[in-house]
Amino acid sequence: MNLSIQLAPENKKGLKLANPVMTASGTFGYGTEYEHHFDIQKLGAIVCKGTTPEPREGNPQPRIVETTDGMLNSIGLQNIGVDALIIEKAPVWAGWQVPVIVNIAGSTIDDYALLAAKLDKVAGVAGLEVNISCPNVRAGGAEFGANPDAAAKVTGVVRKATSLPVIVKLTPNTGEIVRIAEAVTAAGADALCLINTLKGIAIDIKEHKALLGNGYGGLSGPGIKPVALYMVYEVAKSVDIPIIGCGGITTANDAIEFLMAGATAIEVGTASFKNPRAPMDVLEGIEKFLLQEKIQDIRELIGVAHH
Ligand SMILES: Cc1cc2nc3c(=O)[nH]c(=O)nc-3n(C[C@H](O)[C@H](O)[C@H](O)COP(=O)(O)O)c2cc1C
């Protein structure tokens, strides 16, 4: 049975994964946090916490609220910063079998260029995932990823600054995700990941104010799956680079739906908080499905819902 897939067919280095199961940024730390739960080396790839040029403390508490079918978070990109990541984390990853992809986030175009340049040629870093769901401080705080031109500009500077495979992670908080996917593809992305969290709020009815310290947050978990699946399905019709599906994936069946909608790989996010073994359970469930259905190669499933 073949489970391996290629996420960057046009890139010199390529990004070959032993299987399509990845972890979503911000839900799996730096990988090491989950090592005692299962053999993380068996995963397709690990995507680390969003990384910024400087260390960040994140947003004021409370930063997490449970919802009926998921959660709202406003972590605010708390992270150790790119320099500490290069010194402390990358050398550990360099000894791993599983590829690690660094998720990068900036407040300006220059931040993204700097992060990409610093991480280029760092042993242990197999690729970059560019989070463009961040406010552009030079454009009144509008998300880079909400506009095709800004999204393409970020992609272009990252592309120029690195020879690593570049995955651009799209935000669902826009009415034009297909146009943004096309713009980012034209600007040199090797692959796309969709989706990031949906903007949402919760209100404390006793205190008459927003529950999250930051006012609003990002919605994730099972409740967003149909939205994410629809976006993957629509984007798959108009771009031909690999797509990583993400959003509410909790079981192998969820993952298979994303593959059938046109995703080449998938990321497991919020599900890991409830069940730290979720990515492994998803992988084992996919293998079982392929055996049951007598499918020799996972790639036979990609996009079949379009036929
Ligand atoms: C607590 C938390 C932190 C997150 N941090 C990041 C991040 O740093 N960078 C990023 O691109 N996405 C981040 N995300 C978004 C997830 O990677 C994923 O796109 C989203 O949660 C949808 O998938 P899910 O429903 O499976 O969680 C975060 C999500 C959660 C719940």
Side-chain angles (χ1 to χ4, degrees):
M1 195 198 293
N2 175 47
L3 282 171
S4 72
I5 51 102
Q6 174 56 256
L7 280 182
E10 302 297 325
N11 185 277
K12 238 185 176 171
K13 295 192 169 88
L15 188 53
K16 194 176 179 208
L17 271 49
N19 64 71
V21 181
M22 307 168 64
T23 61
S25 178
T27 65
F28 210 73
Y30 296 93
T32 42
E33 296 87 337
Y34 283 79
E35 272 183 310
H36 59 286
H37 289 290
F38 65 94
D39 184 2
I40 61 169
Q41 304 302 329
K42 290 201 171 130
L43 293 174
I46 287 168
V47 183
C48 79
K49 175 67 196 161
T51 300
T52 51
E54 302 296 330
R56 280 173 63 105
E57 302 257 324
N59 286 329
Q61 301 281 357
R63 310 201 289 194
I64 284 178
V65 178
E66 272 196 55
T67 62
T68 315
D69 214 358
M71 63 184 272
L72 272 171
N73 90 82
S74 66
I75 304 297
L77 289 173
Q78 178 182 9
N79 78 99
I80 60 175
V82 68
D83 295 328
L85 178 135
I86 291 169
I87 296 166
E88 294 165 24
K89 308 293 178 185
V92 177
W93 299 334
W96 287 2
Q97 183 188 322
V98 59
V100 179
I101 293 160
V102 176
N103 180 289
I104 58 170
S107 311
T108 64
I109 298 271
D110 292 345
D111 282 351
Y112 286 98
L114 177 128
L115 288 161
K118 281 198 172 179
L119 290 162
D120 191 35
K121 301 192 180 72
V122 172
V125 178
L128 301 180
E129 184 182 75
V130 189
N131 175 6
I132 55 172
S133 308
C134 306
N136 179 351
V137 293
R138 303 239 166 90
E143 284 181 24
F144 288 101
N147 166 289
D149 293 337
K153 207 162 171 206
V154 173
T155 308
V157 299
V158 172
R159 176 74 290 158
K160 227 174 122 192
T162 184
S163 55
L164 285 168
V166 174
I167 300 162
V168 179
K169 183 166 177 182
L170 305 187
T171 172
N173 300 312
T174 166
E176 42 185 355
I177 194 150
V178 173
R179 276 191 56 213
I180 291 164
E182 288 167 351
V184 158
T185 304
D190 290 299
L192 303 174
C193 172
L194 51 146
I195 56 175
N196 212 312
T197 55
L198 287 145
K199 271 195 184 140
I201 66 165
I203 290 172
D204 185 329
I205 58 171
K206 292 262 166 58
E207 299 288 333
H208 301 194
K209 65 179 181 66
L211 262 167
L212 291 166
N214 184 47
Y216 70 93
L219 181 65
S220 64
I224 73 167
K225 195 192 92 180
V227 178
L229 193 59
Y230 174 70
M231 289 183 165
V232 166
Y233 188 84
E234 287 302 302
V235 168
K237 285 188 207 164
S238 69
V239 302
D240 51 14
I241 60 173
I243 297 171
I244 303 165
C246 176
I249 297 172
T250 309
T251 65
N253 284 13
D254 295 335
I256 292 162
E257 284 189 68
F258 275 86
L259 297 176
M260 290 185 171
T264 297
I266 57 94
E267 291 180 3
V268 177
T270 299
S272 291
F273 293 141
K274 211 166 171 185
N275 168 21
R277 216 182 166 277
M280 199 60 204
D281 289 349
V282 167
L283 174 57
E284 288 170 1
I286 291 174
E287 285 174 18
K288 214 163 129 197
F289 178 82
L290 293 182
L291 271 176
Q292 272 166 2
E293 300 290 314
K294 300 194 172 50
I295 296 166
Q296 301 289 328
D297 193 322
I298 187 97
R299 292 170 300 182
E300 287 172 36
L301 291 179
I302 299 170
V304 291
H306 292 270
H307 302 152

